[in-house]
Amino acid sequence: MSAEATNSVTPGPMPGAVSGAVTPTATRRKARPRIDLRRLGRAALLGPAARGRLPDAISHVVEAHRAHHPEADLEPLRHAYVLAESSHRGQMRKSGEPYITHPLAVTLILAELGAETTTLTASLLHDTVEDTDVTLDQVRDQFGEEVRYLVDGVTKLEKVDYGAAAEPETFRKMLVATGNDVRVMSIKLADRLHNMRTLGVMRPEKQERIAKVTRDVLIPLAERLGVQALKTELEDLVFAILHPEEYAGTRELIVRNAARADDPLAEVADEVRGVLREADISAEVLIRPRHFVSVHRVSRKRGRLRGSDFGRVLVLVNEDADCYAVLGELHTCMKPVVSEFKDFIAVPKFNLYQSLHTAVAREDGQVVEVLIRTHQMHKVAEAGVVALGNPYAPAPEDPADGERVDPTRPGWLSRLLDWQEAAPDPDHFWSTLREDLAQDREITVFRPDGGTLGLPEGATCVDAAYAQYGEDAHACLGARVNGRLATLSTVLKDGDTVQLLMGQDPASEPSREWLEHAHTPAARIAIQRWLTAHPAQAESQQSEARIVENRTGVRPADVPEPGAAPEQTADRSATGNVLADLPGATARLARCCTPVPPDEITGFAVRGGAVTVHRVECAAVARMKDGGRAEVGVSWGEAAECRVTLVAESFVRPHLLADLTEAMASEGAEIVSATVEPPTQQQVRHTYTVQLPDAGHLPGLMRAMRDVAGVYDVSRAQPQPQPQDD
């Protein structure tokens, strides 16, 4: 951390621009200030204080801490400050300030966010082990295991290079240590914020490098941990360094708006207060200015800005039900913009955020956004995981037994730990994490049982399957989206209802093609993990695809299309059902024509000592013969089991797929794979590969399928016709 300790001046070409007096709309209207993280300048250093008296240098921290935790025990803070000050004594920052000003500033940031005493204690000590002679054993002996764990976690994070040259395995280990206690990352983010505030004396190229790392890794992490107070200020500081011209232009827009004679936000806020007063709803109505990056984004989206674009109206109430009461009154008494309504209370964001979003239109056409939330929701919206307090505090009825338990973590961080455990290698985990951090929009889709799935924008049914079922999604056959059959490659939209259709074969395999449609780390890692663990099957999928496609110019049906669940590459029953005239060879039925007894068959040797068995009229046979491939004699054995591909054509109707699969199961057919094409003109085509205990059951199976209401034809899949030469 000492490498980033520099002079306390604002970064970028405009000194004082970010942390100075210019705050959007703040000079003229009553506004609820954001958690002010800029107040601490140079702390007074008085040295160790008498026991029982708090040093004056941490008075800022104590004041902020007591505002959130009035009954907090301050002795650990006093003790930690005394140790930190004595350990860092003589160390100076590049600006010439005593080094103790840095841990004091970091601790103040966390105190104003509402962090509990243990986190603040660790924050005061977070550089002692790295930069002084203090050891982790000393920290444990004087402050306990909890503080030692946090200090150790932050120390490890300091050794991580977050840039493009980062060692993926090192990053994974450090992130795992962080994930086991989110307070470690909270301290790291506060540490980076103070270093970003004091970046002014660094060389421009070093400022730019640190700002890019902050933008690419730490700001997305702050977003996912819900710490908006840190995230927004970090964004503004990075904006000033990496885009100084745009920053200067945005600052000028804010200055000009502050000088306006009219104030549409204040007028709407007054109107909202009047509406709620008439409805006898107790609420606090405030104005929430946009930060610099937010103003810049709005200006790029809307062009010329109006007064209402520089902030939002914030309504704070006591209970969840009051939020909806406020919403009803505003939509009744004012002119709502219905398209702007979003309910993040019923469906919270992945980072714990909850609020109602709406907008009202003024007579002059200006649209004012309104946020409605409880006081507790507002605290969590600003502080995120920091507002959770101590995740290890035992419940009163569960006395602590000295063992660490899993903390209460936001869903994204829990998934992160699952990804790193499942990732086949560190590089794959690192690339997947970077992709996920780059996705800043999320959609919510609904399950038929009323549950929800949070997915990144652009996610497909493949992603939904792995989000809901984990690795059991290998058996997914297809999906219904909003009641209509859909392929697994279908891109989902916010609010869609998704019903996933699962097969019953426990040995089902994912298709390599699914990777093309998987956008979430959970899906990509699960599929890649299976392919890595089963190289023979994965190679067989690719090998057979190449052989048939190269010889016939036709993509074989036995290589699953995107969105179709692949069947077993090595046919489990084929070995005993087909005899090959090649010693030691394993026979398997080709899925391009799926022969069954008593079809006339022939075979061809493929890589891996196997023989693929085709119907003699299959187009692939002629192509392979023309290519000089030698046939291998094959014949049906005594075993009666067989695998066959059937095509059912039907009209679209509710519950058709369920009725069809039930009819197949009643005939003893085991569905190995299925493909459902998108409906056209109210007609749909299904392709099923099924395992039958006896080939003699095939006619009865086809009759049972034809008897299903809505099905007008069932036939065996036909081999691709051989193209005629001109």
Side-chain angles (χ1 to χ4, degrees):
M1 296 184 187
S2 56
E4 296 177 1
T6 59
N7 191 23
S8 296
V9 296
T10 304
M14 301 182 62
V18 174
S19 58
V22 178
T23 301
T25 71
T27 58
R28 297 179 299 102
R29 59 175 68 104
K30 179 184 177 183
R32 181 182 185 87
R34 295 177 180 276
I35 296 178
D36 186 358
L37 305 180
R38 302 183 172 101
R39 291 185 302 161
L40 186 63
R42 180 171 179 166
L45 295 179
L46 302 179
R51 184 171 182 83
R53 185 173 74 85
L54 288 167
D56 292 341
I58 59 171
S59 59
H60 300 81
V61 173
V62 171
E63 179 185 354
H65 188 40
R66 277 283 170 84
H68 293 277
H69 305 278
E71 304 300 323
D73 179 11
L74 301 179
E75 174 57 23
L77 292 180
R78 187 202 68 81
H79 187 185
Y81 171 76
V82 169
L83 177 60
E85 192 281 326
S86 61
S87 301
H88 288 297
R89 190 175 298 164
Q91 295 179 349
M92 308 298 287
R93 307 193 83 203
K94 290 187 177 181
S95 62
E97 292 177 321
Y99 191 81
I100 190 63
T101 58
H102 172 66
L104 276 171
V106 172
T107 305
L108 177 63
I109 291 170
L110 293 168
E112 292 190 326
L113 287 170
E116 36 74 53
T117 308
T118 302
T119 303
L120 301 185
T121 303
S123 176
L124 283 169
L125 300 170
H126 77 268
D127 273 344
T128 54
V129 173
E130 181 184 7
D131 295 337
T132 75
D133 293 332
V134 175
T135 66
L136 287 172
D137 289 340
Q138 287 178 273
V139 173
R140 181 183 58 240
D141 293 343
Q142 296 186 41
F143 299 96
E145 177 60 28
E146 204 73 45
V147 174
R148 186 212 69 82
Y149 184 87
L150 296 178
V151 172
D152 184 38
V154 178
T155 301
K156 289 177 179 177
L157 277 177
E158 277 307 298
K159 299 175 182 177
V160 176
D161 176 8
Y162 296 92
E167 286 290 337
E169 178 61 23
T170 301
F171 183 83
R172 177 157 78 165
K173 289 178 180 177
M174 298 307 101
L175 207 51
V176 171
T178 297
N180 285 334
D181 196 322
V182 294
R183 293 174 293 178
V184 174
M185 183 55 77
S186 299
I187 297 172
K188 174 60 186 176
L189 289 172
D191 170 75
R192 175 52 62 96
L193 175 57
H194 183 247
N195 283 328
M196 285 295 297
R197 289 178 185 170
T198 60
L199 210 57
V201 299
M202 291 284 189
R203 298 187 308 276
E205 59 271 20
K206 188 166 186 180
Q207 289 187 37
E208 184 174 339
R209 180 183 66 81
I210 294 173
K212 286 181 177 179
V213 171
T214 303
R215 177 196 64 192
D216 294 341
V217 178
L218 294 178
I219 287 177
L221 282 173
E223 166 75 13
R224 279 153 177 75
L225 295 176
V227 194
Q228 292 298 313
L230 298 184
K231 180 238 181 187
T232 53
E233 189 178 346
L234 284 171
E235 281 185 329
D236 285 349
L237 291 164
V238 168
F239 185 37
I241 293 173
L242 298 183
H243 305 284
E245 293 182 2
E246 290 92 337
Y247 177 82
T250 302
R251 184 174 185 270
E252 180 60 29
L253 288 175
I254 293 170
V255 170
R256 287 205 304 265
N257 181 69
R260 290 168 55 102
D262 63 324
D263 190 349
L265 288 174
E267 293 169 6
V268 170
D270 287 339
E271 187 176 355
V272 170
R273 292 187 189 99
V275 168
L276 299 183
R277 189 164 47 246
E278 287 292 326
D280 197 25
I281 298 176
S282 177
E284 188 177 1
V285 181
L286 307 160
I287 294 171
R288 183 176 177 84
R290 292 184 184 273
H291 65 294
F292 284 78
V293 170
S294 180
V295 171
H296 177 66
R297 288 171 180 161
V298 172
S299 68
R300 293 187 62 182
K301 178 181 179 181
R302 302 178 186 174
R304 178 176 172 271
L305 297 182
R306 307 177 73 176
S308 60
D309 294 324
F310 287 86
R312 297 166 174 169
V313 172
L314 174 64
V315 181
L316 298 178
V317 294
N318 295 321
E319 303 292 340
D320 290 11
D322 294 338
C323 295
Y324 294 96
V326 169
L327 180 71
E329 291 297 330
L330 296 186
H331 281 200
T332 300
C333 301
M334 304 177 74
K335 186 177 180 180
V337 181
V338 179
S339 61
E340 296 294 321
F341 172 69
K342 295 182 179 66
D343 187 346
F344 294 116
I345 294 178
V347 185
K349 287 188 177 182
F350 60 92
N351 60 1
L352 311 177
Y353 178 86
Q354 288 184 288
S355 187
L356 295 180
H357 289 204
T358 189
V360 294
R362 286 163 42 96
E363 292 183 358
D364 61 2
Q366 293 195 58
V367 175
V368 176
E369 296 180 40
V370 182
L371 310 179
I372 309 168
R373 60 179 72 138
T374 66
H375 291 279
Q376 177 61 25
M377 290 175 189
H378 182 65
K379 179 180 178 181
V380 174
E382 288 288 277
V385 295
V386 179
L388 295 177
N390 182 358
Y392 298 105
E397 64 275 12
D398 298 324
D401 58 4
E403 294 185 4
R404 300 181 65 81
V405 295
D406 288 337
T408 301
R409 295 188 297 257
W412 178 83
L413 194 57
S414 295
R415 295 198 299 269
L416 175 65
L417 297 179
D418 294 338
W419 302 340
Q420 70 82 23
E421 291 177 359
D425 58 75
D427 292 295
H428 189 262
F429 170 73
W430 172 250
S431 61
T432 302
L433 175 65
R434 292 294 293 268
E435 290 175 8
D436 183 72
L437 290 176
Q439 297 169 343
D440 59 357
R441 295 181 62 86
E442 185 173 85
I443 63 171
T444 299
V445 298
F446 295 89
R447 304 196 305 259
D449 61 4
T452 61
L453 297 172
L455 299 168
E457 190 174 50
T460 65
C461 292
V462 172
D463 300 306
Y466 283 94
Q468 182 169 348
Y469 293 107
E471 294 194 356
D472 290 342
H474 295 338
C476 190
L477 303 176
R480 284 181 177 272
V481 178
N482 301 325
R484 299 177 66 88
L485 292 170
T487 62
L488 290 179
S489 61
T490 300
V491 176
L492 299 172
K493 299 181 179 63
D494 194 35
D496 281 347
T497 297
V498 181
Q499 178 186 1
L500 298 164
L501 309 174
M502 305 298 292
Q504 302 301 315
D505 187 354
S508 296
E509 305 170 4
S511 168
R512 182 177 293 276
E513 282 81 1
W514 287 9
L515 287 172
E516 299 175 11
H517 309 293
H519 295 276
T520 61
R524 294 186 64 82
I525 287 176
I527 297 168
Q528 189 63 53
R529 184 182 185 184
W530 189 94
L531 294 173
T532 302
H534 301 80
Q537 288 92 325
E539 172 61 25
S540 180
Q541 285 185 14
Q542 291 185 307
S543 175
E544 195 160 333
R546 287 193 298 267
I547 291 172
V548 177
E549 192 165 7
N550 289 342
R551 299 296 184 186
T552 68
V554 177
R555 182 184 180 87
D558 54 330
V559 178
E561 290 289 337
E567 56 187 285
Q568 291 291 101
T569 302
D571 192 329
R572 297 188 303 276
S573 66
T575 302
N577 198 25
V578 178
L579 304 177
D581 297 338
L582 189 64
T586 299
R588 64 168 180 253
L589 303 180
R591 283 169 285 184
C592 53
C593 55
T594 57
V596 297
D599 292 339
E600 189 176 354
I601 54 177
T602 187
F604 293 89
V606 296
R607 187 183 307 175
V611 173
T612 55
V613 180
H614 296 259
R615 293 159 67 182
V616 293
E617 65 268 29
C618 178
V621 171
R623 289 291 186 181
M624 286 189 277
K625 284 183 178 179
D626 291 344
R629 296 284 300 280
E631 292 184 80
V632 175
V634 291
S635 60
W636 295 111
E638 295 182 0
E641 270 195 358
C642 69
R643 179 172 292 190
V644 63
T645 298
L646 300 175
V647 177
E649 296 180 275
S650 66
F651 298 107
V652 175
R653 70 167 178 84
H655 311 300
L656 171 65
L657 190 59
D659 293 344
L660 195 53
T661 54
E662 183 179 352
M664 296 165 71
S666 66
E667 293 295 320
E670 177 188 351
I671 299 176
V672 177
S673 70
T675 302
V676 181
E677 299 178 9
T680 57
Q681 298 181 342
Q682 294 300 306
Q683 296 176 325
V684 64
R685 179 185 175 94
H686 313 245
T687 302
Y688 298 95
T689 298
V690 298
Q691 189 84 17
L692 290 172
D694 191 310
H697 291 185
L698 181 58
L701 171 63
M702 296 175 69
R703 282 194 300 271
M705 294 173 66
R706 291 192 189 101
D707 289 341
V708 173
V711 177
Y712 59 83
D713 189 29
V714 176
S715 60
R716 286 185 62 184
Q718 297 298 316
Q720 294 285 348
Q722 181 176 349
Q724 299 295 321
D725 295 331
D726 293 333

